[in-house]
Amino acid sequence: MPISFWRSSDAIEQLNRLERPGFALEFLRRNTGYRHDYKRTLRQIARGQADPGSARSELARRWGLRFCPRP
């Protein structure tokens, strides 16, 4: 969802229907600091400046993220 639509009544209704993990994701997507950190991490990986697994793990640690294994 584009940032310009985040305050629309439709977006608010969608947020109200989310469970905790979905709401947490939307919160992070709207967080400028997280978005910059995420993009920086992707750039480092793309340039070969960081190991992908380590860089993603560090990003997750910085932001308190936990990923559940898929069944």
Side-chain angles (χ1 to χ4, degrees):
M1 173 182 310
I3 294 172
S4 60
F5 297 121
W6 283 354
R7 293 182 185 230
S8 73
S9 59
D10 289 337
I12 292 171
E13 286 200 30
Q14 288 177 4
L15 288 173
N16 286 335
R17 285 186 243 128
L18 291 175
E19 294 182 13
R20 286 181 185 189
F23 187 82
L25 174 63
E26 288 301 319
F27 177 82
L28 279 178
R29 285 185 46 206
R30 290 165 166 73
N31 184 300
T32 304
Y34 173 78
R35 292 194 334 255
H36 288 302
D37 195 11
Y38 180 79
K39 287 177 187 176
R40 183 176 56 83
T41 300
L42 291 182
R43 278 194 308 270
Q44 288 175 338
I45 292 169
R47 293 176 183 159
Q49 297 171 334
D51 171 67
S54 297
R56 289 182 184 113
S57 292
E58 273 300 303
L59 176 72
R61 185 193 59 73
R62 284 192 299 273
W63 290 93
L65 303 175
R66 295 192 180 157
F67 300 102
C68 299
R70 294 183 182 207

